[in-house]
């Protein structure tokens, strides 16, 4: 059976650095609070005119270069994001136009912080079933333009950043290399624990001036509630992937978790019984970039030599939905 091997990984973050001290000027918050509660020191926010597909294009270009694959050989785009450039169509189509590869499918995956791993499982299945040989998987987000940058929205506003990561997946005949397993979950009972209410098709009309008067257009989260679920689901879904493949946590060279909060990453390491040296983290630089966090981490980990050829890497995510997911990848 074919395996999906990660042939190249790339990332791009906007140039504009927004520090915790910059946020102190916008709302009642402090560098100390943000660092202690989240581990975030700074994040990247786009300038006016930058697009989700544009961030994705830059990440994809790096991934293709590193893979040594020409863009014309890509047979399918899978784009994980919460945010397209416009209400519709999906970001995958905007990216496809930029990459100038018309005709191939462009599939958007909308599973928030778990989006990249949901996308990875779809790409993996396309390759395993020999539907496509070369798939471009992108995770990209612009969160900054949708945040409430006043004290009212400070619990969410300090967490999120913009960025993109991409992987090029290619069909391989090596049975023990590539995406070994993926595991997806959701529980819609928790949809309103972390969500965005407006715009909404249930409202007539779906976009109305009164929406701007309240805070319904901004993302909402019951932070402590989400935190408790996250620290349980991350280790659980990693163990599920290990069990499915017969590996133990000691076999894993690096765990790359979705970057939601450094305290979550530390709690997950503790529950897995591994040291922080085996957990990849870059949240201090970028905050939470939703579907982009895992591919940005993979790109940096690879460039820093933290992921070497032959390494076994565990990926895990948790987020709005609730959705959660894992994958085991042999590099
Ligand atoms: O990626 C998707 C999944 N997301 C997550 O997994 C995030 C999970 N949740 C979290 O990471 C944490 O719950 C937060 C970082 C969001 C919040 O940390 P917390 O330790 O749970 O704080 P809290 O919400 O319990 O708030 C503690 C206090 C409150 O004040 P009072 O009620 O104690 O007076 C908040 O109003 O901190 C206040 N607060 C802030 N203060 C300064 C909330 N946000 C801020 C802020 N700056 N930005």
């Amino acid at each position: 059976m074919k395996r999906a091997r990660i042939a190249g990984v790339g990332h791009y973050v906007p140039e504009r650095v927004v520090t915790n001290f910059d946020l102190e000027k916008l709302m009642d918050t402090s560098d100390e609070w943000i660092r202690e509660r989240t581990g975030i020191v700074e994040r990247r926010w786009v300038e006016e005119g930058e697009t989700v597909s544009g961030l994705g294009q830059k990440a994809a270009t790096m991934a293709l270069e590193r893979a040594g694959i020409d863009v014309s050989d890509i047979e399918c785009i899978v784009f994980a994001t919460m945010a397209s450039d416009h209400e519709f169509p999906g970001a995958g189509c905007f990216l496809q136009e930029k990459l100038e590869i018309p005709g191939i499918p462009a599939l958007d995956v909308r599973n928030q912080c778990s989006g990249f791993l949901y996308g990875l499982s779809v790409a993996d299945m396309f390759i395993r079933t020999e539907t496509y040989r070369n798939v471009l998987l992108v995770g990209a987000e612009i969160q900054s333009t949708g945040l409430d940058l006043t004290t009212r929205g400070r619990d969410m506003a300090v967490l999120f950043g913009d960025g993109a990561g991409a992987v090029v997946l290619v069909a391989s005949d090596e049975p023990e290399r590539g995406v070994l397993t993926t595991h997806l979950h959701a529980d819609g009972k928790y949809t309103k624990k972390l969500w965005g209410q407006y715009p909404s098709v249930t409202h007539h009309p779906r976009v109305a001036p009164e929406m701007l008067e309240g805070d319904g257009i901004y993302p909402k989260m019951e932070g402590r509630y989400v935190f408790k679920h996250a620290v349980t689901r991350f280790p659980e879904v990693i163990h599920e992937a290990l069990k499915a493949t017969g590996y133990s946590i000691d076999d894993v060279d690096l765990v790359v978790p979705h970057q939601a909060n450094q305290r979550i990453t530390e709690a997950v390491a503790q529950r897995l019984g591994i040291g922080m040296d085996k957990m990849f983290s870059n949240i201090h630089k970028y905050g939470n970039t939703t579907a982009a966090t895992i591919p940005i981490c993979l790109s940096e980990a690879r460039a820093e030599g933290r992921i070497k050829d032959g390494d076994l890497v565990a990926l895990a995510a948790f987020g709005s939905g609730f959705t959660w997911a894992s994958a085991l990848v042999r590099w």
Side-chain angles (χ1 to χ4, degrees):
M1 190 208 284
K2 295 283 179 200
R3 285 266 191 228
R5 184 171 65 78
I6 298 183
V9 51
H11 75 284
Y12 177 78
V13 289
E15 285 177 14
R16 180 177 159 212
V17 177
V18 178
T19 66
N20 294 343
F21 296 106
D22 294 326
L23 295 182
E24 285 181 4
K25 293 174 204 147
L26 299 173
M27 61 192 82
D28 181 13
T29 189
S30 67
D31 175 60
E32 189 189 2
W33 190 97
I34 302 169
R35 275 180 201 248
E36 278 180 9
R37 303 283 177 135
T38 72
I40 301 167
V41 178
E42 59 189 39
R43 73 286 290 140
R44 302 299 182 95
W45 284 359
V46 289
E47 303 280 5
E48 183 118 26
E50 287 185 279
T51 59
V52 173
S53 62
L55 302 186
Q57 181 191 15
K58 288 179 172 152
T61 302
M62 185 191 278
L64 286 159
E65 267 171 28
R66 288 178 172 172
I69 286 180
D70 193 84
V71 68
S72 61
D73 290 326
I74 293 298
E75 296 172 357
C76 175
I77 296 170
V78 180
F79 202 124
T81 186
M82 286 173 60
S84 185
D85 297 355
H86 296 280
E87 184 60 17
F88 66 89
C93 290
F94 289 104
L95 174 66
Q96 190 200 51
E97 190 200 8
K98 289 187 165 75
L99 294 176
E100 298 179 32
I101 41 174
I104 65 166
L107 172 71
D108 272 48
V109 172
R110 200 180 166 196
N111 288 92
Q112 299 71 242
C113 297
S114 305
F116 181 78
L117 293 185
Y118 268 67
L120 184 68
S121 84
V122 172
D124 182 40
M125 294 307 157
F126 277 143
I127 289 175
R128 280 179 190 241
T129 55
E130 301 190 31
T131 311
Y132 305 115
R133 285 164 303 168
N134 302 325
V135 179
L136 174 64
L137 169 62
V138 177
E141 302 284 2
I142 292 180
Q143 292 287 358
S144 58
T145 52
L147 299 170
D148 180 358
L149 301 181
T150 69
T151 298
R152 183 180 64 180
R154 65 183 180 177
D155 61 324
M156 294 296 273
V158 302
L159 300 179
F160 292 96
D162 306 332
V167 296
V168 176
L169 293 150
V170 299
S172 144
D173 291 316
E174 294 172 84
E176 286 309 316
R177 202 167 168 211
V179 180
L180 303 182
T181 191
T182 57
H183 300 269
L184 309 181
H185 297 278
D187 192 342
K189 175 160 84 223
Y190 303 108
T191 44
K192 294 182 183 173
K193 297 294 180 191
L194 174 50
W195 72 315
Q197 186 179 6
Y198 295 137
S200 163
V201 291
T202 63
H203 194 279
H204 296 230
R206 68 179 68 174
V207 183
E210 63 264 25
M211 288 176 186
L212 299 175
E213 288 158 20
D215 61 356
I217 59 163
Y218 298 113
K220 296 277 174 333
M221 172 168 70
E222 286 185 35
R224 284 188 189 184
Y225 197 90
V226 176
F227 192 105
K228 276 190 202 153
H229 279 254
V231 295
T232 307
R233 294 305 191 187
F234 272 107
E236 188 181 278
V237 77
I238 290 171
H239 278 303
E240 187 182 351
L242 292 170
K243 196 172 165 203
T245 47
Y247 287 109
S248 88
I249 192 68
D250 296 332
D251 298 317
V252 173
D253 296 292
L254 191 68
V255 177
V256 177
H258 166 61
Q259 305 286 299
N261 186 320
Q262 185 62 13
R263 286 189 295 141
I264 293 178
T265 300
E266 287 167 8
V268 171
Q270 199 177 21
R271 286 177 187 219
L272 289 172
I274 58 174
M276 282 303 287
D277 56 316
K278 268 201 184 185
M279 299 291 282
F280 193 81
S281 170
N282 60 12
I283 194 168
H284 55 289
K285 292 190 286 186
Y286 307 131
N288 180 348
T289 57
T290 329
T293 72
I294 290 179
I296 294 174
C297 287
L298 291 177
S299 178
E300 290 197 337
R302 190 75 178 135
E304 290 166 17
R306 299 272 309 270
I307 299 177
K308 295 177 285 302
D309 285 349
D311 278 359
L312 187 63
V313 181
L315 316 177
F318 178 87
S320 170
F322 293 150
T323 57
W324 62 103
S326 66
L328 264 190
V329 180
R330 173 75 71 189
W331 225 268

